[in-house]
Amino acid sequence: FITLLVPFAERRIIKMKILTLDKIYTPDVLDAQKERYAKAAAEFEKLYGEKPQYFFSAPGRTEVGGNHTDHNLGCVLAAGVSLDIIAAVSPADDNVITVKSEGFPEDKLSADDTDVKQSELNTSASLIRGMAAGFAKNGHKTGGFKAYTTSSVLKGSGLSSSAAFEVLIGTILNGLYNNGEVSDVEIAQLSQYAENVYFGKPSGLMDQMASSVGGFITIDFGDKDNPVIKSIDFDFAKSGHSLCIVDTKGSHADLTPEYAAIPPEMKSVAKFFGKEVLREITKEQVLENIAALREKCGDRAVLRALHFFDDNARVAKQAAALEAGDFDTFLTLVTESGNSSLAYLQNIFAASNVNEQGLTVALYIAKQILDGEGACRVHGGGFAGTIQAFVPDHKLDSFKSGIERAFGEGSCYVLSIRNCGGTKVIL
């Protein structure tokens, strides 16, 4: 187990956030959120025969820049979103952690039993156990608690509900037993540890970091053991845009080979030069040797490598635009990223099933409605699932109705960027 380090200048050593509802949620959803928390408290009391003592929240995340760059040690731009998992919680004296998530069976385990359980692979119990184990390994306190959770983070939407759940458990342990002194960066690292070692999924750090830190962040994976994380100071609420995630209802079944082909194809180009990943070579080297690379690696691998270099460089430009308050330039760069994914990364539809191209249809409709305003791009891994769009507020109604005409009612989710990550909530 390696504790990932973050350069001191980028560390967030402040105590865990403790925020009221009006500091977490936008005014238009505040009444609904009050009702949601009250319902969670009532469900907790039904389950455990007492009122909850505390409330916690952790957001989902969205990838904004750097599509399929992380596995070749590139850079990404990500952000926490307004959909979240909340928990009504009370500490327990018996060191037993009991979590009942809405719609799922109850998980119950000892905080002291930190051994990896093969029977728990790919379950929520493994994530809970992994978080407790990570806290203990890093010298932090653990203990028991009872929790009822409910989530608005959409499964299969690319918003990473698993990362939000991990961060939520870490935030609870931080708040109950560590005086809120475990940094949001470390909670993200421990969440990745839980997912890698206990859940059995070799995920990167982007999902967990965006959920834990909140707001816009960049992550530079150039040194895989020491990623550089930077928060970007930008108030999305003042941008005049909404973030829309469009669910095209495409199935991810049988798409594993499509996803799995991207990293090795990119790395085959690096190996031509005796390197392991694209971050170790330059775009100029590829262009100078493009004839030999086409013959050795194939055109798609070369195109995917060129996408990597351009989208990797684009992340820094996007961050700079946001920091300068230049949202128009940021939107232009989002569009460029989307076009690169479509033409060069080629993760918009599966080559094995050209009859299903929901993402391409969604992008076409989005661009027709936006008509030169806003921006849209593939969201997440691609091939099926969701697209992302930044929609001007004056076009939001027409965008939503146009999208849902094609993909059905409820297929367009209107979100915002959430400026806080995992937090204790004061009602």
Side-chain angles (χ1 to χ4, degrees):
F1 172 50
I2 298 173
T3 298
L4 301 178
L5 302 177
V6 181
F8 183 81
E10 309 298 346
R11 265 186 201 274
R12 299 164 62 91
I13 312 179
I14 57 173
K15 285 190 176 183
M16 180 186 69
K17 305 172 193 72
I18 303 176
L19 300 173
T20 54
L21 290 175
D22 62 316
K23 299 297 183 183
I24 302 172
Y25 304 102
T26 53
D28 57 312
V29 300
L30 195 54
D31 287 342
Q33 291 296 336
K34 290 177 181 177
E35 184 178 338
R36 181 183 178 213
Y37 276 81
K39 182 180 177 181
E43 291 296 328
F44 181 96
E45 190 169 2
K46 285 181 186 177
L47 283 169
Y48 304 117
E50 60 180 273
K51 295 183 182 297
Q53 297 181 33
Y54 305 103
F55 296 89
F56 296 87
S57 164
R61 72 97 184 107
T62 184
E63 174 210 282
V64 181
N67 195 213
H68 278 284
T69 54
D70 56 338
H71 46 66
N72 269 259
L73 303 189
C75 301
V76 296
L77 173 65
V81 298
S82 50
L83 300 182
D84 64 349
I85 303 179
I86 67 171
V89 179
S90 286
D93 296 331
D94 57 5
N95 233 31
V96 172
I97 297 175
T98 305
V99 179
K100 175 66 172 74
S101 297
E102 183 181 18
F104 296 92
E106 182 180 82
D107 292 314
K108 193 169 187 176
L109 54 94
S110 171
D112 294 326
D113 184 359
T114 57
D115 292 337
V116 176
K117 313 288 185 186
Q118 291 298 313
S119 61
E120 287 181 351
L121 289 176
N122 301 304
T123 69
S124 54
S126 69
L127 297 177
I128 299 167
R129 195 181 303 279
M131 290 305 298
F135 266 67
K137 280 180 176 289
N138 274 15
H140 303 306
K141 296 178 182 178
T142 63
F145 61 85
K146 295 173 284 188
Y148 173 79
T149 81
T150 180
S151 177
S152 60
V153 183
L154 314 165
K155 287 188 175 296
S157 64
L159 297 173
S160 198
S161 57
S162 61
F165 183 77
E166 295 151 13
V167 169
L168 180 71
I169 298 300
T171 305
I172 293 171
L173 290 171
N174 191 22
L176 294 184
Y177 296 108
N178 293 277
N179 198 29
E181 293 178 354
V182 183
S183 73
D184 43 17
V185 166
E186 187 177 356
I187 286 176
Q189 294 163 343
L190 294 174
S191 297
Q192 182 197 22
Y193 168 71
E195 187 155 325
N196 290 175
V197 178
Y198 285 75
F199 187 82
K201 180 182 177 182
S203 67
L205 188 61
M206 178 183 70
D207 296 352
Q208 292 83 0
M209 195 65 69
S211 177
S212 187
V213 175
F216 286 101
I217 64 167
T218 58
I219 309 175
D220 184 341
F221 292 101
D223 182 344
K224 63 181 179 180
D225 293 327
N226 299 281
V228 177
I229 299 100
K230 182 180 180 182
S231 292
I232 299 170
D233 185 14
F234 180 81
D235 188 355
F236 181 76
K238 296 179 181 178
S239 71
H241 289 71
S242 294
L243 170 63
C244 292
I245 301 296
V246 176
D247 182 5
T248 65
K249 311 294 176 65
S251 172
H252 289 270
D254 302 322
L255 290 178
T256 299
E258 299 280 357
Y259 294 114
I262 295 178
E265 285 189 16
M266 286 184 175
K267 290 176 182 178
S268 71
V269 175
K271 288 178 181 178
F272 178 90
F273 298 97
K275 302 297 184 180
E276 292 297 318
V277 293
L278 291 175
R279 190 64 181 272
E280 298 176 297
I281 64 172
T282 66
K283 177 180 176 180
E284 288 68 30
Q285 285 178 287
V286 172
L287 292 174
E288 288 170 2
N289 294 273
I290 195 163
L293 282 165
R294 290 182 63 199
E295 182 177 351
K296 177 73 173 179
C297 305
D299 284 346
R300 190 171 72 168
V302 173
L303 289 168
R304 284 175 165 174
L306 292 171
H307 162 83
F308 168 88
F309 293 114
D310 289 347
D311 225 34
N312 192 53
R314 204 171 279 121
V315 167
K317 296 175 184 177
Q318 288 178 301
L322 289 173
E323 289 173 332
D326 186 355
F327 200 67
D328 287 340
T329 295
F330 166 77
L331 291 174
T332 297
L333 293 164
V334 171
T335 298
E336 289 179 5
S337 177
N339 291 341
S340 181
S341 292
L342 176 62
Y344 309 126
L345 180 60
Q346 300 179 27
N347 68 331
I348 307 302
F349 64 89
S352 58
N353 185 9
V354 296
N355 289 323
E356 291 187 19
Q357 298 192 35
L359 294 184
T360 319
V361 173
L363 289 169
Y364 183 89
I365 294 171
K367 289 180 179 182
Q368 288 291 301
I369 298 169
L370 292 173
D371 192 23
E373 296 185 79
C376 61
R377 69 192 285 273
V378 63
H379 186 238
F383 299 111
T386 58
I387 70 162
Q388 170 194 84
F390 291 92
V391 181
D393 290 339
H394 70 91
K395 285 192 171 182
L396 184 58
D397 289 342
S398 60
F399 184 88
K400 192 171 188 296
S401 61
I403 286 294
E404 294 190 343
R405 187 179 303 117
F407 298 103
E409 186 176 353
S411 58
C412 182
Y413 300 93
V414 181
L415 315 178
S416 60
I417 302 298
R418 169 166 150 164
N419 289 328
C420 64
T423 183
K424 183 178 179 181
V425 182
I426 302 298
L427 300 187

